[in-house]
Amino acid sequence: MHEMSICEGILLTLEEQSKVQNFNRVKKVWLDIGAFAGVDIQALQFGWEVVTRNTLAHDSQLMINDIPGQAWCLGCSSTVNINNRYDDCPVCGSPRLQVTGGEELKIKELEVD
Ligand SMILES: [Zn+2]
């Protein structure tokens, strides 16, 4: 499962950070997840419980911050919101969009002890 390896990656980052910033417990993790990141949130939450068992993030909460899809339109020179990566511009109908937001998958904030 793809989400499982994402969880493992996050946990690895937390373990590294715990050494740098000197904390022992992670209580909450806020994640920025873009609309195009291709992440199944339910699977991610489930994976998180499994992966963090008996680690510094045991019983921690995963807080998801949804980032909408955004693109820069070369047709009308404006930033537009899109639901799918290959959508045409909702303003002028141009297919020449450059995705500028929605691919995020990163740790935004931590609550630690
Ligand atoms: Zn446009």
Side-chain angles (χ1 to χ4, degrees), residues 4-5 42 45 55 76 78-79 102 106 108:
M4 217 63 153
S5 57
Q42 274 196 330
Q45 294 280 13
T55 70
C76 62
S78 51
T79 297
K106 62 178 186 213
K108 188 166 192 268

Side-chain angles (χ1 to χ4, degrees), residues 10-18 23 26 29 48 56 110:
I10 296 167
L11 184 62
L12 209 65
T13 307
L14 295 184
E15 282 170 348
E16 283 168 13
Q17 285 299 310
S18 73
F23 58 80
V26 176
V29 181
W48 187 246
L56 80 170
L110 295 176

Side-chain angles (χ1 to χ4, degrees), residues 73 75-78 80 89 91-94 97:
C73 176
C76 62
S77 297
S78 51
V80 294
C89 174
V91 178
C92 73
S94 167
L97 295 184

